[in-house]
Amino acid sequence: MSAEQFVANFIDFWDRPSVDRIPEILHPDVVLTQPLSPPMHGIAAAQREFARIWQFLPDLRAHVDRWRGDDDVVFIEFRLLAHVGRHRIEWPNVDRMILRDGKAIQRMNYFDPLPCSRSC
C-alpha cells in the first residue's frame, strides 16, 4: 500500500472513528507513543485508550492539513477537534508513522497539551 493510500485510510477513519475500526489503520503489533500517556503496545491497548478518550470526547474528530512521506514513513499534520461542554476545542498534532503491511506499526504523536489542559 502506498503512503497516499494510508493517508486516505487515516482520513476516512477520522471521518467515522470507532474502536472497531482501529485495526484498519494500525498494525496488530503497533506501539503508540504520545505526550501525557505511557506507550501503548498492541491493538487491544489502543482500543482501550481510544474508548476511554471517546467516552470523554465523543465527537472527537481529526482534520488533516498536510502530509509527507513514503511507503515506509509518513508524517501527518492534523488538528483534533472536539466539544467540551459548549466549547469547541482544537489542537494541532503531528503523527510520525512507521508503516508495515500498509498500517502503522509505530506511531509517535507530537502535540502541545496546553489547549487541552485549559479546556478539558
Side-chain angles (χ1 to χ4, degrees), residues 59-113:
D59 68 336
L60 181 67
R61 298 293 184 272
H63 174 80
V64 171
D65 295 314
R66 64 189 58 83
W67 68 275
R68 292 290 180 266
D70 56 36
D71 295 346
D72 297 318
V73 180
V74 174
F75 289 83
I76 302 175
E77 182 180 346
F78 62 101
R79 289 171 280 138
L80 286 172
L81 308 117
H83 285 87
V84 176
R86 294 184 194 178
H87 302 284
R88 180 175 174 214
I89 61 171
E90 177 178 319
W91 63 104
N93 288 255
V94 174
D95 275 354
R96 183 199 70 215
M97 305 220 193
I98 309 293
L99 304 180
R100 181 182 298 161
D101 302 326
K103 297 180 181 185
I105 190 155
Q106 186 180 78
R107 192 254 4 228
M108 172 61 83
N109 175 264
Y110 303 93
F111 75 92
D112 177 0

Side-chain angles (χ1 to χ4, degrees), residues 3-13:
E4 186 173 0
Q5 183 59 53
F6 174 81
V7 173
N9 291 347
F10 182 90
I11 291 168
D12 182 65
F13 170 82

Side-chain angles (χ1 to χ4, degrees), residues 1 8 18 36 52 54 64 81-82 89 95 98-99 118 120:
M1 174 184 300
S18 78
L36 307 177
R52 187 185 70 77
W54 284 319
V64 171
L81 308 117
I89 61 171
D95 275 354
I98 309 293
L99 304 180
R118 287 183 177 165
C120 298

